[in-house]
Amino acid sequence: MRLSQFHLRTSKETPADAEVISHKLMLKAGMIRKLAAGLYTWSPLGLRVLRKVERVVREEMDAAGAIELLMPSVQPRELWEETGRWEKFGGQLLKIRDRKEAEYCYGPTAEEVITDFARNELASYKQLPVNFYQIQTKFRDEIRPRFGVMRAREFLMKDAYSFHVTDEDLVREYRNMHDAYSRVFTRLGLKFRAVQADSGAIGGDASQEFHVLADSGEDAIAFSDGSAYAANLEAAEAVSPGDRPAPTEALRKVDTPTQKTCEDVAALLGIALQRTVKSVALMGDAIDGADPGGQFVLALVRGDHVVNEIKLAKLAGLADYRLATEAEIAQHLGSEPGFLGPVAPARPIRVVADRSVAAMADFVVGANASGYHLAGVNWGRDLPEPAVVADIRNVVEGDRSPDGQGTLGIARGIEVGHVFQLGRKYAEAMKCTVLDETGKATIPAMGCYGIGVSRIVAAAIEQNHDDAGIAWPDAMAPWLAVVCVINPKNDPAVAEAAQTLYRELNAAGIETALDDRGQRPGAMFADMELIGIPHRVVVSERGLGAGTFEYRHRRASEAESLDRNALFARLGAGGHG
């Protein structure tokens, strides 16, 4: 591609509304242009990168045995009613009406559509297993779209759905897709981790997320320093610290007139924060007709820990919990917030203790009296053993790994892929059946596998950039190399030599652009660094006289002079940096 015939418009200014580096650099490089909140036009330059990602994804899905199709992005309400997600999916579901007042949504995902396709197309076990995939635009009405294409409302996604007669076969395909995803991100030159995850709004029996590691990542990832264990913070297990020590202190009431947080209480008493217990008052589901307004629950975590809302919601009776009001707290505990605790409540309550709290002795909790806490509290002596002991907290740096190998560290990541074992949730709801080997109708098990194609572009920039701009991995670069011409209009020999080199590199299979725009060297080099071309070759009068070209890799600090053979060797097979 001759850049004099290509639309390339870069900017020196940093956009005021861009928060993360990928958003800033994509705008400065002219890859995207904002149309409305969370909606972007991809320029010819940006589209080249997007198509590179798409090609790798498609090649690996095809190699893994998946079959490509294309489903509508506008989906009828009736399908979503069958699964109960028309209301459950929430505000992210963009609902629209046609001229006949029929209701549709702009698809954020396609479980309903693919299941409808399957129930009409698949009749026998002989047609299974099968894995259908598409690369299609999706829309989720984010309440606050931000970070450019990282969290846009409209985005390009690869979504795949598999159907299986047996659960064992589903597990096999799940692993197949996991391996295919690993190959995709490896080929794209990204540093990534596959982590255990919560299934969220999609639902299902098991899931893993793929995260590109970057300091700017929105998601926290827990990983072991002694094994391959990794999980996002929502799903990472906090193991029990061990047996509870014997009590050594007497129960006593301590004056804490203005100290309402564990941090302030620990500072006042001169004790470690780890010796305090945080009480979170909740209202859960009513059980056995008691408390028709809901069951009052006190969730306990150590003072230095944070409650994990996802884990909490998985406990019996807490699927739809909410925080208790001050009136409900006063009714059940006889206290105001800031001084709450599980000892001697005004009314019977349900206590859910984190594993670490259940293993504590001589701890400090609120006294259920304004201005007071209790110290030297012990289970079994001063209050009943907790009704439920469970993992309800976020893991922290230094926790033991759940697999018993090493300790956990915390890194930041950007989710770019997710694989689910859906089970029979959607097929059952939509009455999708096939005949098994005995001729009996059976509900197939399903898998779901998504990759954020447009999100990968931003995630790659977050991981690959410097002060000068983007530094693309070879597989994602708009061109692998660029030939820069110094003074092309006034030196025909230089122009001809550059054009010859440009043609020869492309003929050798090295995708190359020719920067023949006639810019001054400084501005031309700055543009090529900004848009992230991995290899830059400069053709100049001085170089021609010496029989060399000036070569510089995007990540190198200095340029070097190479003759034609050395240049082609550097850029040839195995020489892409």
Side-chain angles (χ1 to χ4, degrees):
M1 173 63 65
R2 295 174 180 269
L3 295 188
S4 61
Q5 300 170 1
F6 186 79
H7 178 77
L8 178 64
R9 186 183 177 193
T10 61
S11 171
K12 295 180 181 179
E13 303 299 321
T14 300
D17 63 340
E19 300 174 67
V20 296
I21 193 65
S22 59
H23 192 193
K24 294 175 182 178
L25 289 178
M26 290 181 80
L27 289 170
K28 289 181 70 174
M31 292 179 62
I32 56 172
R33 291 291 181 249
K34 182 177 177 180
L35 179 65
L39 303 176
Y40 290 90
T41 297
W42 287 76
S43 75
L45 179 71
L47 187 61
R48 287 187 68 88
V49 178
L50 194 65
R51 293 291 183 248
K52 295 290 184 69
V53 176
E54 190 176 325
R55 184 182 69 188
V56 171
V57 170
R58 180 173 279 110
E59 288 175 356
E60 290 300 335
M61 290 300 294
D62 291 346
I67 305 167
E68 187 171 8
L69 49 58
L70 187 63
M71 293 175 278
S73 57
V74 176
Q75 306 173 8
R77 172 177 178 164
E78 290 77 15
L79 290 184
W80 284 71
E81 290 281 15
E82 288 187 56
T83 61
R85 292 207 298 174
W86 184 256
E87 298 298 336
K88 282 186 179 179
F89 206 88
Q92 285 192 336
L93 191 65
L94 179 65
K95 299 174 180 179
I96 53 182
R97 293 176 185 265
D98 68 9
R99 66 178 68 193
K100 296 179 180 179
E101 293 300 307
E103 291 188 271
Y104 298 84
C105 66
Y106 195 133
T109 182
E111 285 79 16
E112 283 81 1
V113 179
I114 195 66
T115 306
D116 179 68
F117 178 80
R119 68 184 173 184
N120 290 301
E121 296 288 326
L122 305 178
S124 167
Y125 74 95
K126 294 179 180 179
Q127 295 171 275
L128 303 184
V130 66
N131 187 339
F132 298 113
Y133 81 94
Q134 66 171 348
I135 299 177
Q136 171 67 294
T137 300
K138 303 289 189 298
F139 189 97
R140 295 183 184 177
D141 199 4
E142 295 277 357
I143 191 169
R144 189 187 164 212
R146 53 188 177 149
F147 306 153
V149 300
M150 190 89 75
R151 191 167 289 281
R153 294 194 293 168
E154 184 182 77
F155 52 94
L156 188 64
M157 181 178 177
K158 188 284 301 175
D159 48 324
Y161 308 89
S162 63
F163 295 83
H164 310 268
V165 173
T166 67
D167 292 336
E168 293 76 15
D169 195 59
L170 168 60
V171 172
R172 178 202 59 78
E173 183 62 11
Y174 179 84
R175 290 172 180 160
N176 180 39
M177 286 293 99
H178 178 282
D179 294 344
Y181 277 31
S182 296
R183 291 192 295 271
V184 166
F185 300 123
T186 298
R187 281 185 59 186
L188 291 174
L190 300 173
K191 298 174 185 175
F192 68 96
R193 289 292 293 261
V195 303
Q196 296 178 22
D198 182 74
S199 296
I202 303 299
D205 302 324
S207 71
Q208 284 181 292
E209 293 173 353
F210 287 78
H211 286 258
V212 168
L213 302 180
D215 292 339
S216 58
E218 286 187 279
D219 299 309
I221 301 168
F223 63 93
S224 172
D225 61 5
S227 71
Y229 176 84
N232 68 22
L233 207 60
E234 294 173 344
E237 181 184 1
V239 299
S240 172
D243 295 334
R244 181 192 302 163
T248 60
E249 298 180 10
L251 179 68
R252 60 195 185 278
K253 195 173 186 178
V254 294
D255 188 11
T256 54
T258 60
Q259 287 74 24
K260 294 186 176 183
T261 68
C262 289
E263 289 81 2
D264 289 344
V265 170
L268 177 70
L269 301 181
I271 61 173
L273 184 58
Q274 292 90 327
R275 291 187 57 193
T276 66
V277 170
K278 188 184 305 179
S279 301
V280 182
L282 311 169
M283 295 302 295
D285 301 331
I287 297 180
D288 298 329
D291 292 318
Q295 185 185 42
F296 188 90
V297 177
L298 205 60
L300 307 179
V301 295
R302 216 168 66 185
D304 60 328
H305 289 159
V306 175
V307 171
N308 184 305
E309 297 177 0
I310 301 295
K311 294 178 181 179
L312 201 57
K314 290 183 177 180
L315 300 181
L318 291 177
D320 297 308
Y321 79 86
R322 61 173 173 82
L323 294 177
T325 65
E326 290 193 19
E328 290 165 337
I329 291 171
Q331 180 184 14
H332 289 84
L333 298 179
S335 178
E336 64 173 299
F339 304 98
L340 310 184
V343 180
R347 292 183 56 181
I349 64 172
R350 182 185 182 207
V351 174
V352 175
D354 182 67
R355 291 168 175 171
S356 60
V357 173
M360 291 175 70
D362 302 327
F363 53 89
V364 176
V365 295
N368 291 326
S370 296
Y372 294 96
H373 279 72
L374 296 175
V377 179
N378 284 275
W379 296 107
R381 186 192 73 182
D382 307 315
L383 75 168
E385 294 289 341
V388 177
V389 175
D391 171 23
I392 61 169
R393 71 172 175 91
N394 289 339
V395 298
V396 295
E397 291 261 4
D399 277 344
R400 287 187 295 135
S401 178
D403 61 5
Q405 302 178 54
T407 58
L408 295 180
I410 307 294
R412 306 301 300 182
I414 301 165
E415 184 190 345
V416 291
H418 208 157
V419 292
F420 302 86
Q421 291 182 42
L422 291 177
R424 291 170 172 79
K425 173 181 176 180
Y426 293 94
E428 199 168 65
M430 298 183 69
K431 298 179 175 57
C432 174
T433 63
V434 296
L435 298 180
D436 65 15
E437 293 184 17
T438 67
K440 181 182 177 181
T442 185
I443 298 172
M446 290 176 60
C448 171
Y449 321 97
I451 286 182
V453 176
S454 50
R455 201 168 208 235
I456 285 174
V457 176
I461 295 172
E462 293 292 334
Q463 196 178 81
N464 297 277
H465 68 272
D466 57 23
D467 291 343
I470 305 166
W472 291 115
D474 286 2
M476 296 179 63
W479 297 278
L480 186 63
V482 61
V483 173
C484 296
V485 194
I486 303 297
N487 199 16
K489 293 182 180 179
N490 296 328
D491 195 327
V494 169
E496 179 59 33
Q499 292 176 34
T500 299
L501 178 62
Y502 159 68
R503 289 192 295 267
E504 290 177 342
L505 287 171
N506 278 294
I510 300 164
E511 189 179 35
T512 304
L514 176 64
D515 195 345
D516 57 347
R517 294 174 296 164
Q519 289 190 321
R520 297 177 66 84
M524 179 166 45
F525 298 163
D527 270 357
M528 295 306 102
E529 289 188 323
L530 174 60
I531 68 174
I533 307 303
H535 305 275
R536 187 186 77 199
V537 184
V538 178
V539 180
S540 65
E541 182 181 6
R542 184 174 61 181
L544 283 184
T548 61
F549 303 102
E550 181 185 288
Y551 167 79
R552 183 178 174 184
H553 188 273
R554 175 63 182 79
R555 293 187 180 276
S557 57
E558 299 291 338
E560 52 188 317
S561 295
L562 301 176
D563 63 24
R564 184 185 181 283
N565 290 338
L567 176 65
F568 274 73
R570 183 70 59 88
L571 296 177
H576 295 351

